[in-house]
């Protein structure tokens, strides 16, 4: 598997966003989505004084990136954890505050390329989709056991699939004959279930259903809802966070957390805004930044990426009590 294909998305822009916080000696940066270690390696190379903590829930990813980051020795600490466990990980390492946090929410390219994991709709594979295969329910279990209403909700909410009802009634009809085990049968069923017009738009018609299943199986959005606020809380004043997301649901979540942090919470009409109501964050990106056309031409995985950054500009006022 050539490394050349796994070009980290918007790498230069992420490094530039984080740079003002990471150029100081001893700065700690957390890569919450280690994957194959592309962003992590670049962080260690660009900021020679920084120390890296990197998280991944996938043991195979940890093994491969461990080899890749071995030359950096003690400067890199790799941890098997889901990114919403960030506060516990930092606690265990005795690192109460960090200077930089990076999230790249695209599924690690390795997982998409590895046929046996059932992420891809392009080749037949067991319907698994778990990023950590030691725990949780597989995609096949979701398809075979969830009530129809729940499946419709998942396809609509996580896949933004307009034809959810049609697809789910086909799934329910088919699973009664024989439970689902492999991805090819699901792809075929979706193709048959969709009206002609729906098939003509945008790529493989199974794409949205697969995305929805992957998000459900890995609890990705609920994990993210806990992880982004936790990461903001871990930042020292002057620390920076950069988040790359790949679909509108993730991006909306990040946008909400950042916007809330950057807003004043003062009741309207105060002539002077007291410290406790002042914004905690300063937004570093205007809306979400997109990859350049050149980058998309070189790396098609970059196409849907959206980057948002923020800087911690003030302590939480309740810090030191229970915060």
């Amino acid at each position: 598997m050539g490394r050349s294909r796994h070009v980290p998305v918007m790498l230069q822009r992420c490094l530039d966003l984080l740079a003002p916080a990471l150029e100081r000696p001893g700065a700690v940066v957390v890569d919450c989505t280690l994957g194959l270690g592309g962003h992590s390696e670049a962080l260690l190379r660009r900021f020679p004084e920084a120390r890296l903590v990197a998280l991944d829930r996938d043991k195979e990813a940890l093994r491969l990136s461990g080899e890749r980051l071995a030359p950096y020795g003690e400067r890199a600490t790799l941890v098997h954890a889901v990114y919403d466990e960030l506060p516990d990980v930092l606690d265990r390492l005795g690192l109460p505050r960090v200077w930089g946090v990076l999230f790249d929410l695209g599924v690690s390219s390795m997982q998409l390329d590895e046929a046996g994991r059932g992420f891809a709709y392009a080749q037949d594979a067991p319907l698994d989709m778990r990023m950590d295969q030691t725990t949780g329910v597989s995609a096949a279990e979701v398809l075979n056991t969830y009530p129809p209403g729940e499946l419709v909700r998942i396809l609509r909410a996580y896949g933004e699939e307009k034809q959810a009802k049609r697809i789910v009634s086909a799934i329910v009809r088919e699973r009664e004959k024989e439970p689902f085990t492999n991805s090819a049968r699901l792809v075929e069923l979706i193709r048959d279930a969709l009206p002609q017009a729906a098939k003509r738009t945008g790529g493989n018609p199974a794409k949205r259903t697969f995305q929805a299943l992957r998000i459900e199986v890995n609890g990705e959005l609920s994990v993210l809802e806990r992880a982004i606020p936790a990461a903001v809380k871990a930042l020292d004043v002057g620390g920076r966070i950069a988040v790359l997301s790949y679909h509108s649901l993730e991006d909306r979540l990040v946008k909400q957390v950042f916007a809330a942090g950057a807003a004043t919470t003062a009741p309207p009409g105060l002539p002077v805004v007291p410290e406790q109501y002042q914004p905690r964050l300063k937004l570093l990106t205007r809306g979400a930044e997109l990859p350049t056309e050149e980058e998309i031409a070189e790396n098609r995985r970059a196409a849907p990426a959206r980057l948002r950054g923020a800087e911690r500009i003030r302590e939480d006022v309740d810090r030191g009590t229970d915060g």
Side-chain angles (χ1 to χ4, degrees):
M1 196 171 69
R3 287 241 172 89
S4 58
R5 288 214 306 274
H6 304 296
V7 185
V9 173
M10 295 179 83
L11 178 60
Q12 217 32 62
R13 192 62 194 110
C14 288
L15 295 174
D16 292 347
L17 262 183
L18 295 171
L22 296 182
E23 279 161 346
R24 64 193 77 208
V28 176
V29 58
V30 183
D31 183 348
C32 286
T33 43
L34 172 64
L36 288 172
H39 283 111
S40 275
E41 184 174 38
L43 286 164
L44 287 161
R45 207 171 40 232
R46 166 122 176 222
F47 307 110
E49 304 271 8
R51 172 181 173 190
L52 169 90
V53 176
L55 280 49
D56 208 293
R57 54 162 71 173
D58 185 324
K59 288 196 161 148
E60 182 62 3
L62 285 164
R63 188 183 66 74
L64 289 168
S65 41
E67 291 169 13
R68 181 175 189 169
L69 302 179
Y72 296 94
E74 297 288 286
R75 288 181 57 212
T77 307
L78 309 191
V79 185
H80 182 232
V82 183
Y83 43 68
D84 65 339
E85 299 171 68
L86 177 66
D88 305 341
V89 170
L90 294 177
D91 208 33
R92 285 204 306 272
L93 295 171
L95 297 168
R97 312 304 286 287
V98 299
W99 286 96
V101 180
L102 174 67
F103 285 86
D104 178 1
L105 300 170
V107 167
S108 128
S109 35
M110 173 184 74
Q111 290 159 333
L112 289 176
D113 289 343
E114 203 181 309
R117 300 284 285 272
F119 282 102
Y121 33 83
Q123 65 260 71
D124 194 21
L127 278 166
D128 190 319
M129 300 198 193
R130 288 171 299 171
M131 293 190 195
D132 179 349
Q133 290 183 299
T134 60
T135 166
V137 296
S138 69
E141 274 179 80
V142 170
L143 283 174
N144 294 328
T145 64
Y146 276 33
E150 189 63 0
L151 285 174
V152 170
R153 183 189 69 77
I154 287 166
L155 294 197
R156 278 199 185 133
Y158 299 162
E160 300 177 85
E161 174 54 82
K162 293 182 183 68
Q163 306 288 337
K165 272 198 152 139
R166 218 177 252 247
I167 291 171
V168 169
S169 47
I171 287 170
V172 171
R173 196 175 58 239
E174 283 299 313
R175 77 186 185 185
E176 280 164 11
K177 296 181 199 164
E178 190 194 335
F180 283 90
T181 54
N182 274 42
S183 58
R185 180 172 165 221
L186 178 61
V187 172
E188 199 175 323
L189 171 148
I190 292 167
R191 275 187 204 283
D192 293 345
L194 292 183
Q196 273 319 109
K199 284 185 220 182
R200 282 197 287 272
T201 55
N204 191 313
K207 183 176 175 176
R208 290 181 293 278
T209 298
F210 273 70
Q211 172 182 299
L213 285 169
R214 191 196 87 213
I215 289 173
E216 172 63 19
V217 163
N218 295 294
E220 285 172 50
L221 286 172
S222 46
V223 167
L224 195 60
E225 274 176 285
R226 296 188 294 272
I228 302 288
V232 167
K233 210 171 167 60
L235 283 178
D236 215 331
V237 173
R240 290 179 166 219
I241 177 171
V243 185
L244 275 168
S245 37
Y246 293 77
H247 55 77
S248 56
L249 301 156
E250 292 174 336
D251 184 53
R252 199 176 309 148
L253 241 167
V254 177
K255 177 185 177 177
Q256 285 163 352
V257 175
F258 284 8
T264 163
T265 53
L270 293 182
V272 176
V273 176
E275 180 63 27
Q276 76 254 39
Y277 300 125
Q278 297 277 3
R280 310 279 171 263
L281 292 179
K282 179 176 86 182
L283 302 181
L284 299 172
T285 42
R286 291 186 57 175
E289 285 188 11
L290 310 181
T292 60
E293 281 172 23
E294 294 79 43
E295 178 170 9
I296 294 169
E298 278 169 36
N299 180 10
R300 60 190 173 72
R301 288 202 176 114
R306 304 279 176 276
L307 175 65
R308 291 181 189 269
E311 180 181 347
R312 172 73 118 146
I313 53 172
R314 202 169 261 100
E315 288 285 8
D316 284 345
V317 170
D318 62 351
R319 207 179 273 298
T321 49
D322 58 3

